[in-house]
Amino acid sequence: MGRNIVQKIIDAHYVSGDKKPGKEVAVRIDQTLTQDATGTMAYLQFEAMGVPRVKTEISVSYVDHNTLQEGFENADDHLYLQTVAAKHGIFYSRAGNGICHQVHLERFGAPGKTLLGSDSHTPTGGGIGMMAIGAGGLDVAVAMAGGPFYMTCPKVIKVNLTGQLQPWVAAKDVILKLLEILTTKGNVGCIVEYGGEGVMTLSVPERATITNMGAELGVTTSIFPSDKVTKAFLKAQGREDKWVKLAADPSAKYDRVIDIDLSELEPMVAQPHSPDNVARIRDIKGKKVHQVLVGSCTNASYKDITTLAKILDGRLISPNVSFGVAPGSRQVLQMAAKESSIATLVGSGARILETACGFCIGAGQAPPSGGVSVRTNNRNFEGRSGTKDAGIFLVSVETAAACALKGELADPREVAAEMGIEYPAVKVPKKFLVDDSMVLLPAEDPSGVEVRRGPNIGKPPESVPLPETIKGEVSLKVGDKITTDHIMPAGARLKYRSNIGKYAEYVFEGVDAAFSKRALENKARGVHNVVVGGLSYGQGSSREHAAICPSHLGVRAVITKSFERIHSANLINFGIVPLLFADDSDYDRIAQGDQVEIPNVREAIRKGSSLKARNVTKGFDFEVRHTLTGRQIDIILAGGRLAYTKEKGSF
Ligand code: MIC
Ligand code: SF4
C-alpha cells in the first residue's frame, strides 16, 4: 500500500510501539534544538542524566528569547548555555544570530530528518520536509541523551493545495484559512501533510510560515514534501548536499483531506484573543491601529523583510502608528542591510528591533491601554503582549504594511490600488549570504570546559512520587482554552526560567494572582492542590515550566474536559496526573475551594482508565478517566520522568 510522507518518516525512524493511529510509537530523533527560555532547564536535566556527549546527529542551543537582559539573570543563563553546549557536543547559536526556527531552517534543517525542539514552533522545519516536533525540555534532553521520542501515532490530514496565491495574498493567509477550518481545538494526535499541485508555487519560507503557525492548530506537526523548490533553497544556502526527495506515494491514504484553492484566498486576520478567531480583513477594515509589528519566527524571512521594504519604499507610515521591524535572523538582517531594505524601512518610520523573539513573547513593545496592535506573529492570547486590554490582530506582512500606511485595519489590495503600489513578487535569492560565525562549535576537548553556573542557575526539579490517595482542594477552577501563557506567564517574568522557586510565584498570575500563595499554604498543610479546567487546557507553548512550577506548588492532578498534547506530556513528565471528566457536566458541579479526594489513586491508575473521585464538600462521587499508556503510568507513579529514568536505568 502506498505511504504518505509522515508514514515514510516514521518507518525510517521507528524504534518501538504500535504504528496504528492513536497508539504510542517511539521514534529516533536526528536533531534537537533548544532556546534559552526552555534551554537551561533542558540542559540541567540532560546533565542529571550523566551522558557526556549528545547522541544526536546535530543539537543546537539558540539564544533568542531572553535577550533584553534586565538584571543579571539572562546573562547568567547565556553563559551557562554556552559552556554546557561546548562541553556536551552542542552547537551554540549566540544572541544576535536569530530566532531558533528561522536559523534552523536556514542552516541546519534537512528533509527526511526528525527534529525535536523545546519550543512549540519547531514544526517550522516542516517547511523543508522535516518531521519537526515541539516538546518539553525534558523530552528534548532525553533525545539528546539518545532516548527515543514517544508520540501518539498520528492521524494524517492531507491539505490539498491547488491554484496559486493572488498578488497581496500570502502564505499567512493560507494558514489563517486553515485555522478558520480546523480551529485551535480538537486536532490533538494529528499531523497535517501538504500536497497537491499548489505546493510547488510556494517557496520554502512561505511553506515554513504555514508549518510554523500549524502549531496553533494543536496538531503534532505539519510537513511539506521535499521537491525542487526545497532543493533550490538548500542550494542557495550552500547546503544542497542535504537534499533528498520526499513525496507521498500516489496511492497514499489519509484520514481526512481538506482542499484549499490558493487562487481563491483573500487577505485574512486572526482577531483577539485567539489565532482561530479568523475573518477577512476587508470585513473588519477601518478600525484605528496604534501599533504595527513585523517579525517573529512566523514572518521575518528575507522574503518577508524585502517585501515589506519594497511596499513601503518612499512612503511614510501613519502618524498614529508605532512601527517595529525585527528581522528573523542575522542572515536576513545582513542581507537586508546590504540591499538597503533596512535603510528603506527606517526611512518609512520603522523602529528596527533586535533579531530575536522580542515583542512576540511580550519582551518589549507592549501596546497602549486598549490599543490595537497589528502583528505578523502567530499568537494573540490575551495579555501576551504585555497589555491586558490590548487587542492583537495577526496578519501577513503585506497586510501589516497596508495597516501601517493607513493607520487602520486595511486590505492591502485596496491600499495598493489607492496608493499605486505594484505588488513586489520577491523571489528567494539564488544565493543567501552565508556567515555562520555566530554559531560556536562544541569544544574538541570537553575536559577543559568549565560549566559556568551563576546565581540564576538553579537545580533540576525534584520528583515526588504520587501519593496513595489524592486528598486536597480545588485550589483553582478555570474555563476553556487556558493557554500555557495563562498558567506560566512569560514577558516580564521570563527571566526567572532557571529559578523554579521564584518563577513559581507567578503561576496563573494573570488569572488569579493569589493562586501561588494559596497553593503553597495548602502544600505546607499537606493538602494536595487540584486544578479544574475546561476544553483544550494547556494550549500554546511548550514551556514545561507550566508543569514544573505547579508541581513545585504541590499540584498533583489537573481535571479537565480535554488537554493539548505538549502540555499533557509535560504534566506527566513532572508527576502531575492529567485526568478527564468522564461526564463533562460534572465540571459545573465543582467549585473552586471544594475539597476533593481520589482514593487509592496509585492502584486505580494501574488497574484501569476509570477512577472514582469524590467531591467531599458537596457530598457526591464523580468519575474521571485517564488516557495514560503503561509507560506513562510508571512515570506518574515514580513522580516524573527523571525519577522514572533513574529507577529503570533506561528511557
Ligand atoms: C512561545 O512562543 O510561546 C514561546 C515563548 O516560544 C514558547 C516557549 C517558551 O515558553 O519558552 C513556545 O512556543 O514553546
Ligand atoms: Fe519566539 Fe514568538 Fe516564535 Fe515563540 S512564537 S519562538 S516567542 S518568535
Side-chain angles (χ1 to χ4, degrees):
M1 199 178 72
R3 291 177 303 164
N4 56 45
I5 296 175
V6 173
Q7 287 166 333
K8 288 184 185 186
I9 299 187
I10 291 179
D11 282 349
H13 292 83
Y14 176 77
V15 174
S16 63
D18 192 343
K19 285 193 260 175
K20 274 201 209 79
K23 299 283 181 202
E24 189 174 70
V25 67
V27 290
R28 181 172 43 80
I29 295 299
D30 300 319
Q31 301 189 356
T32 63
L33 71 76
T34 57
Q35 41 88 341
D36 50 335
T38 55
T40 49
M41 227 10 97
Y43 294 110
L44 283 167
Q45 295 173 128
F46 173 77
E47 285 185 296
M49 291 171 198
V51 176
R53 238 175 145 72
V54 289
K55 299 203 169 141
T56 44
E57 291 172 12
I58 293 173
S59 286
V60 191
S61 170
Y62 292 92
V63 175
D64 54 1
H65 280 64
N66 269 321
T67 55
L68 269 186
Q69 296 172 225
E70 261 186 4
F72 63 92
E73 290 89 347
N74 303 153
D76 273 12
D77 287 357
H78 299 166
L79 264 180
Y80 167 71
L81 290 170
Q82 181 170 342
T83 48
V84 87
K87 198 166 187 75
H88 296 287
I90 299 147
F91 292 89
Y92 180 71
S93 174
R94 303 179 63 190
N97 200 44
I99 304 175
C100 53
H101 310 303
Q102 176 69 27
V103 179
H104 208 84
L105 190 78
E106 292 166 354
R107 305 304 309 144
F108 295 101
K113 298 283 183 188
T114 51
L115 165 68
L116 195 69
S118 61
D119 191 282
S120 65
H121 290 103
T122 303
T124 312
I128 206 168
M130 304 189 94
M131 191 167 86
I133 302 177
L138 180 50
D139 285 341
V140 176
V142 166
M144 288 191 285
F149 177 63
Y150 293 88
M151 60 193 266
T152 303
C153 189
K155 285 190 180 153
V156 185
I157 303 174
K158 179 176 179 181
V159 174
N160 188 41
L161 300 176
T162 53
Q164 186 160 10
L165 292 172
Q166 298 300 300
W168 304 103
V169 184
K172 185 63 153 283
D173 302 313
V174 179
I175 187 62
L176 288 174
K177 181 73 198 170
L178 197 59
L179 274 155
E180 186 181 60
I181 298 171
L182 287 175
T183 79
T184 56
K185 295 195 304 281
N187 306 312
V188 173
C190 298
I191 291 186
V192 175
E193 180 176 314
Y194 289 86
E197 86 248 16
V199 164
M200 70 184 186
T201 68
L202 297 170
S203 64
V204 166
E206 290 174 303
R207 296 174 186 186
T209 294
I210 295 171
T211 54
N212 170 285
M213 208 172 166
E216 275 48 73
L217 298 166
V219 294
T220 305
T221 189
S222 308
I223 189 165
F224 272 84
S226 169
D227 54 12
K228 57 182 195 222
V229 175
T230 323
K231 190 175 187 179
F233 176 82
L234 282 167
K235 187 169 178 209
Q237 290 285 355
R239 304 200 294 120
E240 198 183 354
D241 58 324
K242 297 290 177 294
W243 184 76
V244 292
K245 185 174 157 57
L246 197 61
D249 295 332
S251 59
K253 295 259 177 313
Y254 294 91
D255 295 281
R256 180 174 174 189
V257 179
I258 296 171
D259 290 302
I260 295 185
D261 182 350
L262 297 172
S263 326
E264 280 179 3
L265 293 182
E266 293 195 45
M268 312 287 278
V269 52
Q271 309 168 91
H273 297 289
S274 179
D276 63 358
N277 188 11
V278 173
R280 289 182 308 187
I281 191 87
R282 71 179 159 108
D283 292 337
I284 58 163
K285 68 181 182 185
K287 196 178 179 66
K288 189 167 171 193
V289 168
H290 304 98
Q291 182 184 54
V292 175
L293 295 171
V294 173
S296 89
C297 57
T298 322
N299 267 130
S301 66
Y302 167 85
K303 181 175 158 53
D304 288 325
I305 303 300
T306 313
T307 301
L308 183 70
K310 285 194 189 295
I311 298 171
L312 296 179
D313 195 3
R315 297 178 177 87
L316 197 61
I317 52 144
S318 156
N320 56 278
V321 166
S322 169
F323 177 43
V325 181
S329 71
R330 180 166 172 260
Q331 180 182 76
V332 174
L333 178 57
Q334 278 182 305
M335 290 178 74
K338 280 212 158 134
E339 294 173 9
S340 294
S341 294
I342 298 295
T344 303
L345 290 169
V346 173
S348 74
R351 301 161 64 181
I352 302 299
L353 307 172
E354 191 177 6
T355 295
C357 298
F359 69 82
C360 177
I361 187 54
Q365 306 299 319
S369 301
V372 170
S373 176
V374 171
R375 302 179 172 206
T376 65
N377 59 302
N378 45 37
R379 289 188 174 141
N380 58 351
F381 305 145
E382 189 177 10
R384 181 173 157 109
S385 67
T387 307
K388 196 154 186 221
D389 61 0
I392 310 298
F393 293 75
L394 306 175
V395 299
S396 69
V397 166
E398 288 81 346
T399 302
C403 298
L405 286 171
K406 293 291 288 181
E408 58 189 42
L409 293 183
D411 185 327
R413 296 167 301 184
E414 285 175 18
V415 176
E418 182 190 319
M419 297 192 179
I421 311 173
E422 205 176 304
Y423 183 63
V426 174
K427 298 253 170 316
V428 168
K430 291 255 171 316
K431 205 168 165 18
F432 285 97
L433 189 159
V434 173
D435 168 4
D436 290 330
S437 51
M438 292 289 276
V439 178
L440 305 183
L441 304 183
E444 271 169 29
D445 173 17
S447 66
V449 182
E450 188 208 333
V451 177
R452 296 278 303 269
R453 295 170 212 276
N456 195 45
I457 306 299
K459 296 213 166 47
E462 279 169 29
S463 313
V464 186
L466 190 68
E468 289 304 333
T469 288
I470 292 181
K471 201 169 178 181
E473 158 183 326
V474 175
S475 40
L476 190 71
K477 182 178 176 187
V478 289
D480 289 346
K481 282 190 172 184
I482 286 295
T483 71
T484 50
D485 280 82
H486 289 111
I487 305 171
M488 209 53 268
R493 308 300 183 203
L494 202 54
K495 67 179 185 177
Y496 299 121
R497 282 289 174 91
S498 312
N499 184 339
I500 299 304
K502 179 73 190 162
Y503 200 27
E505 289 174 18
Y506 305 107
V507 175
F508 282 113
E509 188 186 16
V511 177
D512 179 347
F515 172 76
S516 171
K517 199 161 160 267
R518 186 161 72 238
L520 265 186
E521 281 166 7
N522 279 343
K523 185 181 170 188
R525 291 188 291 130
V527 172
H528 299 132
N529 290 292
V530 174
V531 173
V532 168
L535 284 168
S536 266
Y537 184 87
Q539 271 189 13
S541 91
S542 69
R543 65 191 70 148
E544 59 189 353
H545 297 77
I548 299 175
C549 294
S551 162
H552 176 86
L553 297 178
V555 174
R556 300 307 323 222
V558 180
I559 311 175
T560 70
K561 296 181 186 171
S562 69
F563 288 97
E564 291 298 311
R565 172 186 68 91
I566 308 179
H567 185 59
S568 121
N570 285 337
L571 289 174
I572 296 165
N573 277 351
F574 295 98
I576 298 178
V577 199
L579 294 169
L580 296 162
F581 286 105
D583 177 349
D584 282 355
S585 67
D586 284 333
Y587 169 89
D588 301 319
R589 301 168 74 201
I590 298 180
Q592 190 166 310
D594 285 357
Q595 303 299 309
V596 284
E597 216 175 290
I598 309 177
N600 302 321
V601 64
R602 290 181 70 91
E603 200 191 320
I605 284 182
R606 244 192 257 113
K607 269 200 179 145
S609 61
S610 167
L611 286 81
K612 207 166 93 186
R614 180 156 185 79
N615 185 329
V616 180
T617 307
K618 305 231 164 76
F620 68 87
D621 290 340
F622 61 104
E623 194 189 326
V624 290
R625 49 189 189 88
H626 73 78
T627 57
L628 304 167
T629 64
R631 187 186 62 87
Q632 290 172 327
I633 290 174
D634 290 345
I635 294 177
I636 285 279
L637 296 181
R641 192 157 184 201
L642 266 184
Y644 161 86
T645 308
K646 272 197 200 119
E647 252 174 52
K648 216 176 145 221
S650 77
F651 305 113

